[in-house]
């Protein structure tokens, strides 16, 4: 927390990041009292998402954000430019953060930075099997996993659950419920294939093939 009582939240932007990973939590966390929000990248300016059409604008650079209170890392291409700069920044700021968090494939960036070594974590189902390579214990059945001040969320939409949980931790259940109502976050999906344990074998097969097409290895 800053001397004036505010908390600074850094939402990380990077090459081919997934928009909802960042924007979903942003829409809830920005509603907390005494909060300063930043979108942070290697330099200020527009950053293109993985869809190739939508961009978000980074308001600050890594150098301009040396001590964020909360860091949120979305899925970002590990093969993109400036990844080394991002990983070094994550290692450095994690020493002083109040919370270090990730959504979806963002956990892989935390893992690459060495932050998940020895910690349980979750990520998108397509990347779970890679976590042990970085010394992390994957938790495929959990949507949000906390280990100390590290909090990881499963794929994409799970960022909303992480954000709402974090509001509750910082400001209590009542304020979290206020934020939930303001956002009218009341999920009632028309289908029930949102987790690998619920999807049919055919749906799992098609989803895996589509993930391979959209995000080819290497």
């Amino acid at each position: 927390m800053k001397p004036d009582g505010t908390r600074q939240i850094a939402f990380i932007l990077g090459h081919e990041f997934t928009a909802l990973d960042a924007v979903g939590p942003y829409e809830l966390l920005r509603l907390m009292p005494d909060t300063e929000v930043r979108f942070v990248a290697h330099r200020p300016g527009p950053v293109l998402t993985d869809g190739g059409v939508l961009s978000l604008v980074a308001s600050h650079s890594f150098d301009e954000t040396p001590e964020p209170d909360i860091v949120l890392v979305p899925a970002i291409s590990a093969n993109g430019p400036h990844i080394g700069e991002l990983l070094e920044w994550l290692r450095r700021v994690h020493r002083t953060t109040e919370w270090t968090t990730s959504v979806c494939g963002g956990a892989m960036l935390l893992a690459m930075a060495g932050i998940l070594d020895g910690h349980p974590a979750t990520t998108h189902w397509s990347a779970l099997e890679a976590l042990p390579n970085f010394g992390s214990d994957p938790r495929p059945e959990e949507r949000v996993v906390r280990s100390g001040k590290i909090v990881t969320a499963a794929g994409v939409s799970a960022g909303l659950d992480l954000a709402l949980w974090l509001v509750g931790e910082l400001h209590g259940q009542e304020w979290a419920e206020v934020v939930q109502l303001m956002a009218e976050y009341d999920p009632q999906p028309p289908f029930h294939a949102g987790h690998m344990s619920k999807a049919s074998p055919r749906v799992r097969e098609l989803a895996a093939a589509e993930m391979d097409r959209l995000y080819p290895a290497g």
Side-chain angles (χ1 to χ4, degrees), residues 54-111:
L54 176 68
S55 292
L56 292 184
V57 177
S59 58
H60 294 79
S61 69
F62 295 133
D63 289 342
E64 292 171 329
T65 312
E67 293 186 334
D69 298 291
I70 300 170
V71 170
L72 187 141
V73 185
I76 295 172
S77 172
N79 299 316
H82 313 291
I83 196 68
E85 184 180 351
L86 168 57
L87 295 178
E88 179 54 38
W89 181 84
L90 285 172
R91 295 183 191 104
R92 186 167 62 249
V93 301
H94 177 62
R95 301 180 192 127
T96 57
T97 57
E98 185 177 1
W99 296 99
T100 299
T101 73
S102 68
V103 179
C104 192
M108 298 312 302
L109 277 298
L110 296 185

Side-chain angles (χ1 to χ4, degrees), residues 26-48:
Y26 158 78
E27 288 292 350
L28 299 183
L29 295 176
R30 73 182 181 87
L31 299 175
M32 295 192 301
D34 303 318
T35 298
E36 178 206 348
V37 171
R38 297 185 173 196
F39 283 93
V40 180
H42 72 285
R43 66 182 179 188
V47 182
L48 194 64

Side-chain angles (χ1 to χ4, degrees), residues 16 18 50 210-217:
E16 295 184 345
T18 301
D50 56 2
E210 188 67 2
M211 289 294 297
D212 288 342
R213 183 185 72 82
L214 292 172
Y215 308 102

Side-chain angles (χ1 to χ4, degrees), residues 21 75 103-108 121-132 138-144 152-158 192-215:
D21 290 0
V103 179
C104 192
M108 298 312 302
T122 191
T123 184
H124 192 276
W125 52 262
S126 64
L128 277 166
E129 65 182 16
L131 285 177
R139 299 292 174 88
E141 300 303 321
E142 297 182 45
R143 193 159 168 83
V144 176
T152 54
V156 194
S157 64
H192 299 282
H195 188 270
M196 290 293 277
S197 65
K198 299 177 181 179
S200 69
R202 176 61 173 163
V203 168
R204 293 199 298 267
E205 178 185 354
L206 290 172
E210 188 67 2
M211 289 294 297
D212 288 342
R213 183 185 72 82
L214 292 172
Y215 308 102

